[in-house]
Amino acid sequence: MRIVEDELIERIRRRIPSSEGGALRLGIGHDAALIHSENPDWAVTCDQFLEDIHFIIDKHPPASVGYKALTRATSDIVAMGARPRFFLLSLALPVERSGTWLNELLSGMARASKLLGLRLVGGDTARSPGGRERVALNLVVLGEVQHGREIGRAGARPGDGIYVTGILGRSQLGLELLLRGMAKRGKYRKFLFPHYYPVLPFDFGLWLGRHNLPSAMMDISDGLSTDLARLCRSSGVGAHIYADQIPTVSVPGSLPQIPALAPLTLALHGGEDYGLLFTVPRQFSSQIPEVFHRTRTRTTRIGEIVRGSGVSVVGRGGEVSPLIPGGWDPFARR
């Protein structure tokens, strides 16, 4: 039986009580839940980071596993316009990974927690079960957001501009090099860093929230083609994006000329950039900087929200075609 992740989430939502109301302001379908409290509110999310799914034990340095696991989970908080505060870590691992490997993982996670202003407040540990024991991390991250300043996925409206931060496809390029055994070649090592140690647009996300500029926002974790389709479904709208406006990674000319390494393919379908995807009403567009001065975060307008449904991409020659989601889906992989 084949299933896609969005269908699985919808099945869970229908079977288990999850409707918004009372203290629950936002629930399933957004990057994080929003729980009302005495000002500020709490944004809460959880995320898994699993061996052989999210990282490869003999290819990813343990420090990058720890750093990336926490960064990945925290990206959902930043995408709500919230400030990360606390996290909990549940960790299952085989005994042979409980020495130096674990120490390096914790060093990487400590580095991320310092950069993101997070404090560890609890969790759980267990030995991995089964024949071949694998490492599994589960993180819960909590962040603070002022009343009315949270940003969900459901507010985009026709006419809004569509923006992204950073350069898309950098992490996927690093992964492609890693999988092709090119990571140790000196001329390619710099392309691994965005995959091992992604940098969140932390301060820019908070700035957007304080100024209440986006109508909708989420992080780009599974690829632009997949995540923009999710934002559009949540908002009940469609989107047009322009191929020549998408900020793509520069691919070394010495690499094979194959579709998987084409810059536009990497930008549209590559995951784990953890940049922001957000929409802004036309009257606020002049307030979005091309470069956010505090952290040199680059922002790019790549299209606009339209009536209807689905996402279309306008090619460099003006041709229009539907953009089929082709990003990461763990249930679509074998």
Side-chain angles (χ1 to χ4, degrees):
M1 177 182 179
R2 184 182 178 187
I3 190 171
V4 297
E5 185 177 20
D6 289 347
E7 293 172 355
L8 181 64
I9 294 170
E10 179 60 21
R11 188 192 304 176
I12 295 170
R13 187 193 66 79
R14 288 197 305 264
R15 297 295 293 271
I16 301 176
S18 59
S19 59
E20 296 167 2
L24 182 61
R25 297 294 180 86
L26 293 176
I28 293 176
H30 297 272
D31 285 86
L34 183 71
I35 301 174
H36 177 63
S37 177
E38 294 299 321
N39 204 19
D41 291 337
W42 287 103
V44 184
T45 190
C46 68
D47 208 69
Q48 299 183 80
F49 207 63
L50 309 175
E51 181 181 345
D52 292 340
I53 301 295
H54 302 106
F55 68 94
I56 303 169
I57 200 75
D58 60 351
K59 292 184 181 295
H60 287 87
S64 88
V65 173
Y67 176 98
K68 196 170 181 179
L70 183 56
T71 300
R72 168 188 168 94
T74 307
S75 182
D76 289 332
I77 296 295
V78 173
M80 296 286 292
R83 179 179 293 278
R85 288 299 191 191
F86 307 108
F87 75 103
L88 296 94
L89 168 66
S90 291
L91 175 65
L93 75 166
V95 172
E96 60 267 24
R97 299 292 176 189
S98 62
T100 301
W101 191 92
L102 176 60
N103 289 339
E104 293 181 14
L105 178 143
L106 296 175
S107 294
M109 189 170 290
R111 173 185 168 189
S113 68
K114 184 176 181 180
L115 287 172
L116 297 168
L118 282 162
R119 183 181 302 175
L120 178 65
V121 295
D124 192 22
T125 57
R127 176 173 175 170
S128 296
R132 183 171 104 63
E133 298 176 343
R134 292 174 173 85
V135 177
L137 298 92
N138 186 280
L139 293 115
V140 176
V141 182
L142 298 89
E144 294 177 335
V145 59
Q146 297 297 314
H147 289 325
R149 298 296 182 181
E150 73 280 355
I151 309 169
R153 300 181 183 180
R157 296 293 178 263
D160 290 358
I162 302 171
Y163 295 79
V164 296
T165 62
I167 297 173
L168 304 186
R170 298 174 72 206
S171 179
Q172 186 67 30
L173 175 59
L175 177 60
E176 296 289 345
L177 293 172
L178 194 66
L179 295 178
R180 286 171 168 77
M182 301 168 125
K184 295 182 180 180
R185 299 186 191 180
K187 63 181 178 180
Y188 295 135
R189 285 178 184 169
K190 66 178 181 180
F191 296 101
L192 272 294
F193 193 83
H195 177 67
Y196 287 154
Y197 300 102
V199 178
L200 300 185
F202 176 83
D203 288 324
F204 183 61
L206 292 176
W207 182 85
L208 288 172
R210 282 198 304 272
H211 291 81
N212 205 25
L213 294 175
S215 52
M217 186 161 72
M218 62 183 297
D219 68 338
I220 305 176
S221 55
D222 293 331
L224 177 63
S225 64
T226 294
D227 290 325
L228 179 55
R230 288 171 174 161
L231 186 148
C232 287
R233 282 198 303 272
S234 294
S235 296
V237 296
H240 287 167
I241 60 174
Y242 300 89
D244 61 356
Q245 295 178 17
I246 297 171
T248 58
V249 63
S250 296
V251 176
S254 55
L255 291 178
Q257 300 298 304
I258 59 176
L261 293 175
L264 186 59
T265 298
L266 293 169
L268 289 175
H269 307 303
E272 297 192 318
D273 283 313
Y274 301 116
L276 294 175
L277 165 66
F278 60 100
T279 59
V280 176
R282 187 177 292 111
Q283 65 268 29
F284 299 141
S285 61
S286 63
Q287 299 182 47
I288 303 299
E290 291 186 3
V291 178
F292 183 62
H293 66 280
R294 294 181 190 174
T295 53
R296 306 300 297 171
T297 299
R298 173 179 174 178
T299 65
T300 307
R301 187 183 189 278
I302 63 169
E304 63 268 342
I305 296 295
V306 298
R307 298 185 186 279
S309 60
V311 179
S312 296
V313 59
V314 181
R316 292 182 171 89
E319 66 280 4
V320 180
S321 57
L323 179 61
I324 306 302
W328 170 250
D329 184 336
F331 294 94
R333 315 287 168 164
R334 294 193 182 275

